[in-house]
Amino acid sequence: GENVEQHPSTLSVQEGDSAVIKCTYSDSASNYFPWYKQELGKRPQLIIDIRSNVGEKKDQRIAVTLNKTAKHFSLHITETQPEDSAVYFCAASRDKIIFGKGTRLHILP
Amino acid sequence: EAGVAQSPRYKIIEKRQSVAFWCNPISGHATLYWYQQILGQGPKLLIQFQNNGVVDDSQLPKDRFSAERLKGVDSTLKIQPAKLEDSAVYLCASSLQVTYEQYFGPGTRLTVT
């Protein structure tokens, strides 16, 4: 069946450095790729999304890139801050949505 | 706009008992989702509705779980009978359509003892 693989499962970066989280998907018909951030004890919230007709999207310190040929998309966070510490989930969607297993991001002081 | 509402927020039951969760999505949102999130894991989609029709329920344990979305608005998720492994947070989310941002409710934390 359809699947979304997310790596790494845990990531620690020094404050101010960049963080990259990668996802691959199996359904080549997927056309919508959101990223959600979930802080401890809170609900997931969308931080950025990209559609299949776009290769890259940026919003301040956050960017997402999509490679449809490789069925691969990535989240890039630059100039990381303590408030970026959370669990990040990627997802791929067509008529139904599939989430990755999440990446726990730790920002080290 | 008002967010996704869920109730109850917390529930403790004994195994083999039944429980029901309620979700009121954002007005106008056609797509409604129920997720199970076990501590330390990602949300697992249980069922996805488009209006009042089911799009995907492939991961719903149908021998014990059921869900309905009457009139394409509110939805209820029921577990009967509950097992210890059902202890989790049950999240409801809604979106305008399937390939749009999902808005999550606060979740219901279920503990089965």
Side-chain angles (χ1 to χ4, degrees), chain B residues 64-75:
Chain B
R64 298 185 301 108
F65 286 63
S66 64
E68 59 181 6
R69 189 182 184 195
L70 297 175
K71 301 180 181 178
V73 182
D74 291 9
S75 178

Side-chain angles (χ1 to χ4, degrees), chain A residues 41-92:
Chain A
K42 297 189 176 180
R43 71 194 79 178
Q45 288 193 300
L46 182 78
I47 54 170
I48 196 166
D49 56 8
I50 192 168
R51 298 188 182 275
S52 58
N53 58 347
V54 175
E56 184 174 356
K57 184 176 179 181
K58 190 173 182 180
D59 182 4
Q60 299 183 353
R61 298 187 296 109
I62 295 173
V64 56
T65 58
L66 172 65
N67 181 330
K68 286 188 296 182
T69 303
K71 292 189 285 187
H72 170 274
F73 58 113
S74 300
L75 177 71
H76 304 254
I77 306 174
T78 59
E79 300 172 11
T80 52
Q81 300 171 3
E83 53 265 36
D84 295 329
S85 291
V87 180
Y88 292 80
F89 296 99
C90 66

Side-chain angles (χ1 to χ4, degrees), chain A residues 13-28:
Chain A
V13 300
Q14 212 69 40
E15 182 178 347
D17 287 351
S18 296
V20 180
I21 303 171
K22 300 180 179 182
C23 288
T24 57
Y25 59 98
S26 59
D27 184 1
S28 56

